[in-house]
Amino acid sequence: MTKPLTGKIALVAGATRGAGRQIAVQLGAAGATVYATGRSSRAGRSDLNRPETIEETAELVTAAGGNGIAVRVDHLVPEQVRDLVARIDAEQGRLDVLVNDVWGADPLITWDTPMWEQPLDAGLRTLRQAIDTHITTSHFALPLLIRQPGGLVVEIGDGTTAYNDDNYRVSLFYDLAKVAVNRLAFAQARELEPHGATAVALTPGWLRSEMMLEHYGVTEANWRDALEKEPHFAISETPALVGRAVAALAADPDRARWNGSSVSSGELARVYGFTDVDGSQPDAWRYVVEVQDAGKPADVTGYR
């Protein structure tokens, strides 16, 4: 049986770990050829100094049924992004899906501290990594993406527009970064629409990424042990859920209905019918508003 994204070409910028890795893998599982980019490579680690690599991601894409291609790129360096897109053009002649997932700023964030007491260099670097990387990648990639109608751009952030508009995200630099990513999708949607392309802002819920599992001292196998420290972690999801959300959007011939929207993985799971790896459909952002932020005891009944 032909997979829905067979013959489609995707670029996942920031595919080394977490959401980006599983977005690449799930696009591969749907049959796509996926260029997985990032700074962490077997040739050398990024400043995060973590073990995950883009080569591992590409291998996972291929194992899932797609074609994974790893390219080491620093998306803050325009020349590297330009050369990446030129390579995709030369090798494929098209680009159907662009996912802007570059982040890597977690170690730079100072929480619960007024901005004037935070390190300015780290705050500005956060904005560069969260916003400049996405703009630079779109600047070079969109001319290739709009060469034929039907292209999809997905901006990966944290929090829907509705949530971020009403809630301070505990650090000015983090708050600004996450609001800006959603707005990038909104603005690109307006510019892409005349070319038959779609841009969507997509947020996962509470992500059980490699770094988050390490933070709680658990693994995916025993992640529920973290509930002793943080009971609301019960609503968390694996990165596969947001990956399946992107794959569902890319395979939807009516994806233009989402143009300019800000949606969550849990919301799209209910629309498209996909689930997390355990068969559940965690609706994290509704839970955050109705349970966590409302000060109620942790109870995921009706939310996953």
Side-chain angles (χ1 to χ4, degrees), residues 6-71:
T6 297
K8 300 298 184 181
I9 310 302
L11 165 58
V12 181
T16 312
R17 63 186 65 83
R21 169 169 283 188
Q22 272 299 313
I23 290 168
V25 170
Q26 297 303 324
L27 287 169
T33 291
V34 183
Y35 286 78
T37 69
R39 298 175 298 154
S40 299
S41 165
R42 287 176 181 149
R45 295 187 178 189
S46 74
D47 53 4
L48 290 178
N49 195 31
R50 290 194 55 84
E52 303 89 8
T53 68
I54 53 172
E55 291 85 0
E56 290 172 351
T57 299
E59 290 164 0
L60 290 170
V61 170
T62 300
N67 179 26
I69 302 170
V71 186

Side-chain angles (χ1 to χ4, degrees), residues 62-212:
T62 300
N67 179 26
I69 302 170
V71 186
R72 193 180 190 187
V73 176
D74 184 339
H75 287 263
L76 278 175
V77 181
E79 295 78 11
Q80 292 186 25
V81 181
R82 179 200 63 202
D83 292 347
L84 164 68
V85 175
R87 173 178 171 179
I88 297 172
D89 191 7
E91 294 177 353
Q92 312 295 340
R94 63 185 296 152
L95 180 63
D96 301 284
V97 180
L98 168 63
V99 181
N100 279 322
D101 182 56
V102 179
W103 170 238
D106 287 311
L108 301 173
I109 304 297
T110 303
W111 303 104
D112 296 303
T113 303
M115 61 91 71
W116 59 88
E117 295 180 6
Q118 295 191 33
L120 183 59
D121 288 349
L124 295 179
R125 175 74 181 187
T126 295
L127 300 181
R128 288 211 69 209
Q129 290 190 189
I131 303 171
D132 291 13
T133 55
H134 292 219
I135 293 172
T136 300
T137 305
S138 286
H139 174 82
F140 288 105
L142 293 187
L144 180 57
L145 183 126
I146 64 173
R147 191 173 292 174
Q148 58 278 318
L152 172 67
V153 176
V154 183
E155 291 284 345
I156 303 296
D158 178 24
T160 63
T161 295
Y163 185 84
N164 289 346
D165 280 354
D166 291 338
N167 293 273
Y168 167 59
R169 301 306 308 276
V170 203
S171 168
L172 180 141
F173 295 105
Y174 189 87
D175 185 286
L176 183 56
K178 297 311 178 181
V179 168
V181 168
N182 290 345
R183 191 67 185 186
L184 281 175
F186 177 84
Q188 287 176 95
R190 297 304 183 270
E191 297 184 358
L192 288 170
E193 188 172 17
H195 301 276
T198 297
V200 181
L202 175 62
T203 177
W206 200 337
L207 201 65
R208 294 203 299 275
S209 63
E210 298 90 345
M211 294 176 71
M212 185 59 68

